[in-house]
Amino acid sequence: MRIFQFLVLIFFLSIYCYSKTFRISHVVSDNSPKGLAISFFKKHVEFNSKGKIKIEIYPNGVLFDDREALDALKRGIIQFAAPSFSKIADYVPEFQIYDMPYLFKSMDQIHRSYISDVSSYLKQKALVKGFVVLAFWDNGFKVITTRDKPILKPLDLKGLKIRTQGSFVINKTLELVGAKPVVKPFNVVIDLLKAGIIDGQQNTFSNIYTQGFYKYQNYMTLSRLGFLGYAFITSNKFWNSLNSKEKKLIMNALEEATAFEYRVAEEKNKDNFIRIKIHSNMKIIKMDSKMLKLWEEYFKNYYSIFYPVVGKKLIDEVLRLE
């Protein structure tokens, strides 16, 4: 019996000694679509590797914000990250294609872009900068919330301080209507809203609810002005350090996590929209066809401004996916 116990001890010690620990940093809550998908990924990697690979998750920006995470990937401090497309644009400006106002019409078009020449082009551009894009994830189309006035038409945003993720396309979109973009990390937005330092922000229903933004805003316009998505990425250096078995295990887990993420992003946004309506007194401004056309036409008149950054060819490629 003692020999058996000894052998069991040796077995578990060998697993511990030869296990690898990989870190992933992200800025949203564990209960957000991205947070839930990362937990799903962790569970499957650890189970399928029989404990030989362990995943440590650092949510809510406790370790790094999205921009810092990209640098940390390069330096090997973390091994995975899932920054928004807008933050990857610091290295690959073309990722701002998803920030373009009213370029994408539906989630179906978004998903087709993930498996099209659009994603192939973006992956190649990222690889040149030292990043491997392993998957594209959803959150959803963004809406606008404000404190003091409802937003019915684009120029209603004039003079308002709106927090942004900081990409050129997002900032320029707001500047085109006279708004003042305020670039700040995601994890401080709630404090900015509480203090009244900003007048509003753009986000998805899931982020607005899970972060409590709705508590400090009185109006929400269902503008769908740009899309919020994420790239699940690693560094080229780290990816090349893995053996083929490890890569396959990670990609299999990520494939399942990505399918899960798409489902939960849709479900969470629908559910959180209902929760916002129940738990807040926000006035919700819906877009009828006439309003939507007004917004679309206003911004499409300025698409040429974005050509030098995003590229006309890439924009045309997205339009072919409609």
Side-chain angles (χ1 to χ4, degrees):
M1 184 67 180
R2 289 180 178 176
I3 294 175
F4 175 75
Q5 290 174 330
F6 176 74
L7 290 173
V8 170
L9 178 62
I10 292 297
F11 172 74
F12 282 106
L13 281 174
S14 66
I15 290 177
Y16 177 80
C17 292
Y18 289 99
S19 68
K20 295 181 178 181
T21 299
F22 302 148
R23 302 178 186 89
I24 179 167
S25 172
H26 67 89
V27 300
V28 293
S29 72
D30 287 324
N31 195 39
S32 65
K34 180 164 61 173
L36 290 168
I38 288 173
S39 296
F40 184 102
F41 172 73
K42 167 187 167 72
K43 178 181 176 182
H44 279 251
V45 168
E46 292 181 347
F47 179 80
N48 293 332
S49 70
K50 297 180 173 59
K52 290 182 180 179
I53 298 178
K54 299 184 184 300
I55 304 292
E56 291 181 355
I57 302 172
Y58 297 89
N60 292 309
V62 295
L63 199 59
F64 301 110
D65 67 29
D66 275 349
R67 283 194 167 87
E68 294 168 339
L70 291 167
D71 180 63
L73 276 178
K74 280 183 167 288
R75 292 191 287 151
I77 299 172
I78 58 174
Q79 287 67 49
F80 300 107
S84 67
F85 296 146
S86 300
K87 301 300 173 60
I88 303 174
D90 289 352
Y91 291 89
V92 183
E94 290 87 348
F95 263 99
Q96 293 174 86
I97 190 77
Y98 293 100
D99 293 332
M100 290 283 294
Y102 301 107
L103 179 61
F104 290 91
K105 300 290 192 297
S106 66
M107 286 305 306
D108 179 62
Q109 188 183 1
I110 291 282
H111 286 167
R112 278 185 280 127
S113 77
Y114 291 166
I115 55 173
S116 71
D117 290 341
V118 173
S119 67
S120 298
Y121 178 83
L122 295 174
K123 286 179 179 180
Q124 185 57 42
K125 284 283 187 177
L127 193 60
V128 172
K129 296 296 183 178
F131 300 107
V132 180
V133 178
L134 301 176
F136 290 83
W137 283 3
D138 296 341
N139 193 315
F141 287 98
K142 293 183 286 187
V143 300
I144 297 169
T145 68
T146 51
R147 183 187 63 224
D148 297 328
K149 61 182 286 192
I151 306 301
L152 303 177
K153 55 187 183 297
L155 290 175
D156 288 340
L157 285 162
K158 186 175 182 179
L160 299 186
K161 290 177 285 187
I162 306 294
R163 179 265 171 180
T164 81
Q165 294 164 290
S167 82
F168 169 83
V169 170
I170 294 176
N171 287 350
K172 180 56 69 174
T173 296
L174 290 171
E175 288 170 357
L176 288 172
V177 295
K180 301 173 182 177
V182 178
V183 181
K184 292 292 182 180
F186 182 75
N187 60 350
V188 304
V189 176
I190 188 71
D191 295 324
L192 298 175
L193 292 172
K194 282 181 183 178
I197 294 172
I198 55 175
D199 301 301
Q201 58 85 50
Q202 290 187 95
N203 236 301
T204 60
F205 298 132
S206 65
N207 282 350
I208 291 168
Y209 183 75
T210 58
Q211 297 295 319
F213 298 163
Y214 66 93
K215 298 176 183 178
Y216 306 97
Q217 301 277 267
N218 295 316
Y219 304 95
M220 182 165 68
T221 301
L222 309 188
S223 58
R224 295 170 64 88
L225 186 64
F227 176 78
L228 177 58
Y230 314 106
F232 192 100
I233 64 174
T234 186
S235 71
N236 192 28
K237 182 178 180 180
F238 169 72
W239 192 244
N240 288 337
S241 74
L242 300 179
N243 60 45
S244 58
K245 186 176 180 180
E246 291 169 331
K247 288 180 180 177
K248 183 177 180 181
L249 186 149
I250 287 169
M251 289 307 298
N252 285 344
L254 192 53
E255 184 177 348
E256 292 186 46
T258 298
F260 170 79
E261 200 278 339
Y262 292 170
R263 293 195 302 273
V264 78
E266 182 178 7
E267 292 166 3
K268 277 284 182 182
N269 274 299
K270 287 180 179 178
D271 177 68
N272 290 161
F273 178 55
I274 293 171
R275 289 176 183 272
I276 290 169
K277 289 197 291 185
I278 293 172
H279 297 298
S280 79
N281 294 316
M282 294 178 77
K283 181 177 180 180
I284 298 172
I285 297 100
K286 296 182 179 180
M287 292 277 225
D288 59 26
S289 57
K290 186 177 179 180
M291 281 181 68
L292 181 60
K293 185 177 180 181
L294 172 69
W295 283 70
E296 286 180 345
E297 290 183 350
Y298 183 92
F299 288 106
K300 284 186 176 181
N301 288 330
Y302 295 101
Y303 271 14
S304 59
I305 292 175
F306 305 120
Y307 290 167
V309 176
V310 178
K312 187 177 185 302
K313 287 184 178 180
L314 199 61
I315 292 172
D316 290 342
E317 187 64 35
V318 171
L319 292 173
R320 281 193 282 271
L321 297 174
E322 285 187 14

